[in-house]
Amino acid sequence: KINAAGAWTIKGTTPTGWFLWALWALEAAIVLGLAWVAAHSMVEDHPFCETCETWCKETEGLAGVGAGDPEQLRAKLEAKDFAYLKGLGPAKADSPSWFRFDLHACHSCQGLNALTVTNFQVLTDAKGGTTKTQSEVVKLLILTAAEAESLKSVASGLSAPAAE
């Protein structure tokens, strides 16, 4: 009945039929789209501990590690070989490439830990101009509490770069 008679009037015109359905579809797409974007942007980078029902806190710059092969670093981290980081050494502030380690952890139960590693690069073109880029090597790699402690132990010997 609403479709045949219309629900409202805009500037003297009452949308009905397929035009009204199209407006309703557009309205639904906007509402659902905005809800999805809001939810997706919130949970994409911040893990949620289901046990404690709380968002994990991030320690950005847990460690800064010198340049290396991103694929090899990813493989070593997935194998939980944190000793590999010692071989890369600490990042230097004037280095054109380094890795930054960020750790998300549940501070209530310490049961959920997630590691993100970002590769930072400063590229210089032929004219001397620089471009800073960053790319994720590992995103939210789940670690046990013991693995997170092992990573923190290794990271304590490494420092974050002074400038990004």
Side-chain angles (χ1 to χ4, degrees), residues 77-91:
L77 291 173
E78 288 174 350
K80 311 305 193 284
D81 180 6
F82 303 125
Y84 173 75
L85 305 178
K86 292 178 185 177
L88 294 175

Side-chain angles (χ1 to χ4, degrees), residues 70-85 101 115 117 137-138 141-144 146-148 150-151:
E71 293 304 317
Q72 186 175 13
L73 176 62
R74 179 192 335 263
K76 293 292 186 179
L77 291 173
E78 288 174 350
K80 311 305 193 284
D81 180 6
F82 303 125
Y84 173 75
L85 305 178
F101 286 65
L115 174 66
V117 178
V137 176
V138 174
L141 176 66
I142 300 298
L143 304 176
T144 64
E147 291 166 345
S150 177
L151 175 63

Side-chain angles (χ1 to χ4, degrees), residues 28-137:
I30 290 171
V31 169
L32 294 175
L34 288 175
W36 182 84
V37 167
H40 189 268
S41 66
M42 180 176 246
V43 299
E44 182 176 312
D45 296 326
H46 301 287
F48 184 78
C49 181
E50 296 289 339
T51 304
C52 301
E53 296 186 1
T54 186
W55 293 100
C56 292
K57 295 191 187 318
E58 179 181 23
T59 302
E60 188 175 286
L62 176 71
V65 177
D69 177 26
E71 293 304 317
Q72 186 175 13
L73 176 62
R74 179 192 335 263
K76 293 292 186 179
L77 291 173
E78 288 174 350
K80 311 305 193 284
D81 180 6
F82 303 125
Y84 173 75
L85 305 178
K86 292 178 185 177
L88 294 175
K92 295 178 177 54
D94 60 347
S95 176
S97 181
W98 68 92
F99 299 107
R100 185 185 75 198
F101 286 65
D102 302 328
L103 184 65
H104 288 84
C106 176
H107 289 281
S108 297
C109 70
Q110 285 80 37
L112 177 61
N113 299 278
L115 174 66
T116 297
V117 178
T118 306
N119 184 12
F120 290 88
Q121 293 185 330
V122 179
L123 306 170
T124 305
D125 62 21
K127 296 180 181 180
T130 60
T131 303
K132 295 179 182 180
T133 64
Q134 64 185 53
S135 59
E136 289 179 338
V137 176

